[in-house]
């Protein structure tokens, strides 16, 4: 069965629907009933019991009254003591109608089962005297049908027996002195069966100032009268006294009232009371009877209760454990159309307020709520905490009536109403607005936390309680969890501690934080922070020669470098797919110029741009962190005095803001931009390629490098095939057969149409690999006139990247290699036919056992008659400042000739000797020894 809105199932009373009810009608007045001037629902016994739910406490009390009036026992004196609105006066009215009824007990709803329990078939009608302390004045006499009395006991006598009763106590009434136990016993015996109802007795007695005498007697004489009356009641088996006393000092009203309450409690407290205050469970039925004509079809009520029960059981971790029990589903059905959480909060939390009158207060409050919801065509399945229309002026006024000053602006600005922050949040997100999630959560938190006080050990309402008061079947629980976090970050009067939330009239630190945010400046405060945080992200540069964060073009070197340079653009240079103007303008400026001079090594730059759509959120995150940090610093430096809780809260907020800032930095700088050039209509055109990086990557530098390698924007391993193609396309044209190795490398660093190599080593390794085959270019260490020196083609070469080394075109390399091969062949033949001593002819190989190879320049070694030298040893001194270059030259010009020969064993030994007149410090000695150990020096000693 599909659940329906509560207003399509239940039917409120007409006065609730029309809004014609009076708040005072929920406050029963026993004096009006006694005088015959009360509204029909209170005046008429049948109507009264028809709309009264007999609670457990009332049942026991009425049972005791029936027993007493029938002379079958029962308590002679009963004290009713609860807080305002706890049902005292309503219970006294029930006793009044039961005792003084004008109709049979069978017509009083709920009474026959009570009488059956104690075996009473006929309950005698009794005289009833009503003493209302609020109506009586100790200074003024009262008149009953022409009979004037001054005191409470005079009034009691007239109400029970008229002139006959007053005659028994006339002297005491005139003198203002207590009549005593015997006189009161005589009065009660003649009037029995009788009931005496004392309502608001403290309100009368507290008017009697000690030491003063009034027509109504003195303080002591009235206290003595109460003592005598309670004792007299014990001796009359069919007479009963019920007295209502306030529960709190506030209700007692002042020192004199508290004194009166203490004394009266002493005498009434001697008799055990059977009175039990209304429980929240019983309030369900009380409210339903008083506010609704018809609760609804039982099947529809059960369907609604079942839907809510299934919601709670489907999400056991989201709702309180008790909500998943089958008994909670029964509570929903019993409380329909009001959610049990409304009753729990009102009875458990709001009833602790001095002004809130428990059951009476609940009735008054819910009558207004139901009227407003009905008129607004509310579609909720139940009236829940999240349903309360706090935006309505009448409901809001009734809500804050019970609270300290300061709550109205909190509700209007943050919780409910068209201009509230919660309504704004609902209006900007359709997920929230479709179910009014923000307003429902804010209302629920208000109902569960407004009555709290700072002295509570655990403040506020837990998240599971918020969800219980806000979520309905068919709605996503996650939506409400998200909106709780949104409210926490936005609202100024909402506090949060772990998973508990509460509203307070004092603004939280967020307002202070927002004020400080407003005074921060982008250039002076935000940008330096962002630069520092971005630098932290790029603390490891890996393959990059350098990473330049928010620096002007003049500060970015224009060199070949040990790797490409990553230029991180500032927040003002945001990139958007539809509008990339700011990012391209900033990147192009750095690419084309270094300060005022043209930039040459353009192909060494790649760029990282911020996401244009995220920049504003990034700035806000930075401002938030700076504001929280300034608060924490002020607290630490004692420039700001906060309590322990708010000081801890500010530190937690700062840490959370810092985490959010780190995440926003990662999410913002995610556009990798790389410049390239393409030929279009005979000229090179600059083109930018951009790709988005994943924000979830654990290391941003590694993610950038992986993307550059994937897109081949930076090459860390280059195939000789590709180098062959570049040489063929751009260098070996129009008869050109050679090009400087250094020029090709430097061109690749300058021109955007050439591949962007990671570093010079990649280029050297590619040349080395290319020389090992005869599928492309050749290599020469230098050139002497028309002769290539150190020519290598088809075998490994030790490549040097300098101005002398050359790359030779495949055509020229093949032609030169053919000449070398021919020369070598001719030299070999000449050596084979050279005459030896003794006139015989043989080959050099047969004489020496070794084959003689030609030199790399095509020169032939002539084998003489003497044996060839078998060992070479050379020593050279190099300048320490140019050792790297000199050693490379030595290897190319000397060592290479030996290493290229098959069967030649080459040993290179490096000898380092250093002298310092002042000696070497300990740190230097340690460093050198450690490095020598790593490099496997045979000896490394200081002396």
């Amino acid at each position: 069965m599909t659940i329906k809105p509560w207003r399509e199932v239940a039917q409120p009373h007409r006065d609730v629907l029309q809004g014609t009810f009076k708040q005072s009608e929920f406050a029963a007045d026993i004096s009006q009933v006694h005088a015959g001037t009360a509204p029909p629902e209170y005046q008429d016994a049948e109507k009264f019991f028809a709309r009264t739910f007999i609670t457990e406490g009332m049942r026991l009390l009425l049972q005791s009254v029936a027993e007493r009036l029938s002379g079958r026992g029962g308590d002679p004196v009963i004290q009713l003591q609860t807080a305002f609105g706890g049902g005292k006066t309503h219970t006294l009215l029930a006793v009044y109608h039961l005792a003084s009824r004008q109709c049979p007990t069978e017509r009083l709803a709920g009474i026959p089962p009570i009488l059956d329990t104690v075996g009473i078939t006929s309950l005698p009608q009794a005289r009833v005297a009503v003493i209302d302390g609020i109506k009586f004045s100790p200074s003024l006499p009262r008149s009953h049908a022409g009979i004037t009395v001054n005191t409470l006991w005079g009034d009691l006598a007239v109400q029970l027996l008229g002139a006959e009763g007053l005659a028994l106590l006339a002297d005491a009434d005139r003198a203002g002195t207590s009549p005593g136990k015997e006189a009161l016993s005589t009065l009660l015996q003649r009037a029995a069966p009788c009931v005496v109802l004392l309502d608001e007795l403290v309100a009368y007695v507290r008017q009697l100032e000690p030491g003063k005498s009034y027509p109504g007697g003195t303080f002591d004489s009235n206290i003595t009268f109460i003592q005598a009356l309670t004792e007299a009641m014990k001796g009359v088996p069919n007479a009963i006294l019920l007295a209502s006393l306030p529960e709190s000092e506030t209700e007692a009203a002042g020192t004199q009232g508290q004194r009166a309450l203490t004394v009266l409690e002493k005498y009434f407290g001697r008799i055990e009371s059977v009175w039990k205050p209304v429980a929240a469970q019983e309030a369900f039925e009380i409210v339903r009877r008083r506010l609704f004509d018809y609760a609804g079809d039982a099947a529809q009520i059960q369907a609604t209760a079942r839907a809510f029960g299934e919601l709670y059981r489907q999400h056991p971790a989201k709702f309180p454990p008790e909500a998943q029990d089958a008994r909670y589903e029964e509570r929903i059905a019993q409380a329909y159309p009001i959610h049990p959480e409304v009753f729990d909060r009102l009875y458990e939390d709001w009833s602790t307020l001095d002004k809130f009158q428990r059951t009476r207060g609940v009735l008054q409050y819910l009558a207004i709520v139901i009227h407003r919801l009905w008129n607004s065509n509310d579609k909720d399945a139940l009236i829940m905490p999240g349903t309360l229309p706090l935006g309505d002026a009448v409901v809001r006024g009734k809500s804050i009536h019970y609270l300290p000053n300061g709550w109205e602006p909190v509700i209007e600005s943050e919780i409910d109403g068209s201009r509230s922050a919660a309504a704004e949040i609902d209006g900007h997100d359709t997920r929230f607005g479709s179910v009014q999630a923000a307003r429902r959560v804010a209302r629920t938190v208000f109902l569960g936390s407004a009555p709290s006080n700072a002295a509570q050990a655990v403040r506020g309402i837990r998240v599971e309680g918020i969800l219980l008061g806000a979520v309905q079947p068919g709605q996503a629980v996650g939506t409400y969890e998200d909106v709780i976090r949104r409210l926490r970050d936005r609202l100024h009067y909402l506090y949060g501690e772990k998973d508990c939330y509460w509203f307070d009239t004092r603004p939280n630190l967020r307002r202070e934080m927002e004020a400080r945010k407003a005074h921060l400046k982008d250039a002076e405060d935000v940008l330096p922070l962002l630069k520092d945080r971005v630098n932290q992200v790029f603390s490891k540069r890996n393959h990059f020669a350098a990473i330049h964060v928010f620096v002007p073009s003049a500060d970015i070197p224009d060199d070949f470098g040990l790797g490409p340079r990553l230029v991180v653009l500032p927040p003002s240079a945001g990139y958007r797919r539809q509008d990339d103007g700011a990012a391209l303008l900033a990147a192009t400026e750095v690419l084309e110029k270094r300060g005022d001079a043209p930039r040459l090594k353009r192909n060494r730059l790649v760029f990282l741009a911020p996401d244009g759509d995220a920049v504003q959120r990034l700035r806000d995150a930075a401002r938030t962190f700076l504001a929280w940090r300034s608060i924490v610093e002020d607290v630490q430096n004692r420039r700001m005095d906060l309590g322990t809780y708010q000081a801890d809260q500010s530190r937690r907020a700062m840490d959370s803001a810092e985490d959010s800032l780190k995440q926003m930095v990662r999410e913002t700088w995610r556009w990798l931009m790389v410049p390239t050039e393409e030929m279009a209509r005979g000229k090179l055109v600059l083109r930018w390629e951009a790709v988005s990086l994943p924000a979830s990557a654990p290391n941003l530098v590694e993610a950038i490098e992986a993307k550059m390698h994937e897109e081949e924007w930076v090459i860390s391993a280059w195939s000789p095939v590709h180098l062959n193609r570049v040489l063929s396309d751009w260098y070996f044209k129009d008869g050109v057969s050679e090009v400087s190795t250094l020029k090709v490398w430097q061109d690749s660093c300058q021109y955007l149409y050439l591949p962007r190599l990671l570093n010079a080593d990649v280029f050297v390794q590619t040349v080395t690999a290319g020389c090992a085959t005869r599928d492309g270019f050749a290599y020469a260490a230098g050139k002497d006139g028309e002769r290539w020196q150190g020519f290598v083609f088809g075998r490994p070469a030790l490549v040097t990247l300098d101005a002398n080394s050359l790359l030779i075109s495949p055509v020229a390399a093949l032609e030169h290699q053919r000449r070398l091969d021919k020369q070598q062949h001719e030299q070999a033949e000449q050596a084979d036919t050279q005459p030896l001593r003794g006139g015989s002819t043989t080959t050099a190989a047969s004489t020496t056992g070794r084959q003689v190879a030609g030199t790399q320049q095509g020169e032939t070694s002539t084998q003489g008659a003497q044996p060839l030298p078998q060992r070479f040893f050379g020593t050279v001194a190099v300048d320490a400042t140019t050792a790297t270059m000199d050693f490379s030259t030595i290897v190319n010009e000397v060592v290479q000739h030996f290493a290229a020969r098959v069967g030649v064993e080459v040993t290179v030994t490096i000898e380092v000797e250093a002298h310092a007149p002042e000696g070497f410090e300990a740190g230097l000695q340690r460093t050198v020894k450690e490095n020598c150990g790593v490099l496997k020096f045979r000896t490394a000693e200081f002396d």
Side-chain angles (χ1 to χ4, degrees), residues 828-883:
E829 287 181 347
Q830 182 180 357
D832 288 344
T833 59
Q834 183 177 0
L836 300 177
R837 286 191 300 253
S840 63
T841 305
T842 183
T843 64
S846 62
T847 305
T848 65
R850 291 185 297 273
Q851 182 179 358
V852 180
T855 66
Q856 289 180 345
Q857 285 76 28
E859 299 173 352
T860 305
S861 297
T862 303
Q863 181 67 41
Q866 65 277 11
L868 295 174
Q870 297 180 342
R871 181 176 179 270
F872 169 81
F873 178 81
T875 303
V876 63
V878 297
D879 189 340
T881 59
T882 60

Side-chain angles (χ1 to χ4, degrees), residues 452-459:
S452 63
N453 57 77
Q456 288 178 311
V458 179
R459 299 195 63 186

Side-chain angles (χ1 to χ4, degrees), residues 897-934:
H897 293 285
F898 294 113
R901 297 282 181 168
V902 178
V904 177
E905 296 180 1
V906 181
T907 301
V908 179
T909 302
I910 299 177
E911 185 176 300
V912 180
E913 185 174 345
H915 296 274
E918 298 177 357
F920 299 105
E921 63 273 17
L924 177 62
Q925 293 182 46
R926 183 173 59 256
T927 300
V928 171
K929 284 187 176 182
E930 289 176 357
N931 292 341
C932 288
V934 173

